[in-house]
Structures are given as structure tokens and as C-alpha cells.
Amino acid sequence: MMAPWRSVILATLVAAVVSADVPRLKPGDPLPPLSGETLNGQSVTLPAALSGQPAVLLLGFTYGARQPVEAWSAWCRGPAGVAIACIELPMLGGLAKFARPFIVNGMRKNTPAPLRDRVITVTSKIGDWKSRVGHTAAAENDAYLILVDRAGVVRWQAHGAFGDALAAALAHEVASLPRSGG
């Protein structure tokens, strides 16, 4: 019989190998289904849950990514931000998946009630999403940003901490989105 910790390591390695075949997202690609649960406890799948509205998706793969993701989210809501929804997506893979109830309770406690539907915790296919956004160990604590249009098509993506140059690039891309239709 295999020790439980060896099973976790084996499952993690298998997930990493399986996700190696997932192509990186690029502008013009439809956003693959991304399922999770809001801090209000509602199961959602993007892009369908966006109801035809454009959005900036803010993915964070580590606890260290929390601050960059929150900085981007605050900018989106602020006067200099973009006029579309910004959705925080904490990606709880590996051992974090097992601590999910504690992590989610902490996030819920620290997130104002009106913003809880804009935070979606994801616990499956994390390796696939790392491949899709080009996640690297050197940038593991970055926020990974994906701009999707009304049709759920990827229009732009980047990663990094909040900064004026990257914010200007995102604002430019948002401004270039069609105002109605697809």
C-alpha cells in the first residue's frame, strides 16, 4: 500500500504531465470553460456566467499572488480603472485544494459582501490553466490577466504586478472592445 503523501505527489505529477499538452491561450481563442465557486457559494462556469459581458479575469496560482490580484481588482473598481467587470480567480491546486474550506472562509471574511460574487475559487484543472496562461516558476506570484470580450473570446493577456505601463496597456485593450454585439 502506498503512503498517502506519495499518492498526493503522484497525483500532482500526473496532473502536470497531462496539462503539458494544453496549448497556451492567444488572442482570438475562445475562453475554455472555467468552473469554480463564488465566495457566496454559487457554482459558476465562465464565460457563460459573464452573460455576454466583457471581463478581465485575474488568476492567482499562489498565496503570494494574492496581493497583485487584489491590486488589479482594486484598480478596476477605482476611478482610473476599466469600466468592465474584473473577476478574481484564486487557483487552489495541490495541497491548497485540501485546505480549501479554511482558505475560502478567510477570503470570505476579508472580502466585502458586495464583491464576493466577483471572487471565484477554482480547484480543478489548475495545471491546464497554468499552461494556458504561460505560468512559470519565476513568475509564480504574478497576477495572470485575461481580457475576454462579450463573446467570451480572449482579446489580450499578460501577467505581472500592478503597474502603470501594464494598466495603460489593459485600458487601451478594453477601450478597443466593441461597445455592443460581439
Side-chain angles (χ1 to χ4, degrees):
M1 186 168 145
M2 190 179 300
W5 61 270
R6 288 185 182 165
S7 297
V8 171
I9 291 171
L10 181 60
T12 302
L13 290 174
V14 168
V17 170
V18 170
S19 65
D21 291 337
V22 175
R24 184 159 180 181
L25 284 175
K26 57 188 178 308
D29 289 346
L31 184 75
L34 177 54
S35 298
E37 188 174 294
T38 69
L39 291 183
N40 287 328
Q42 180 183 7
S43 293
V44 296
T45 299
L46 302 176
L50 296 173
S51 302
Q53 296 302 309
V56 177
L57 310 180
L58 306 167
L59 287 71
F61 293 97
T62 64
Y63 181 77
R66 182 180 125 243
Q67 289 178 330
V69 166
E70 289 176 354
W72 279 107
S73 185
W75 175 77
C76 287
R77 293 187 313 273
V82 291
I84 63 172
C86 286
I87 310 294
E88 295 181 38
L89 294 151
M91 308 299 272
L92 305 178
L95 296 177
K97 189 173 183 177
F98 298 108
R100 183 183 180 279
F102 301 106
I103 294 169
V104 170
N105 282 337
M107 286 189 293
R108 188 177 298 120
K109 178 180 157 188
N110 293 311
T111 303
L115 301 177
R116 291 181 187 157
D117 63 340
R118 298 285 176 115
V119 180
I120 302 169
T121 58
V122 179
T123 58
S124 64
K125 301 183 181 181
I126 305 303
D128 290 356
W129 282 97
K130 284 182 174 183
S131 294
R132 287 181 177 121
V133 298
H135 178 272
T136 65
E140 70 179 8
N141 292 325
D142 281 0
Y144 285 79
L145 294 73
I146 304 171
L147 172 63
V148 295
D149 66 13
R150 295 176 190 282
V153 173
V154 174
R155 292 298 178 183
W156 179 85
Q157 86 175 62
H159 67 89
F162 176 80
D164 292 337
L166 198 52
L170 173 56
H172 173 75
E173 293 298 326
V174 169
S176 72
L177 291 175
R179 294 287 169 217
S180 62

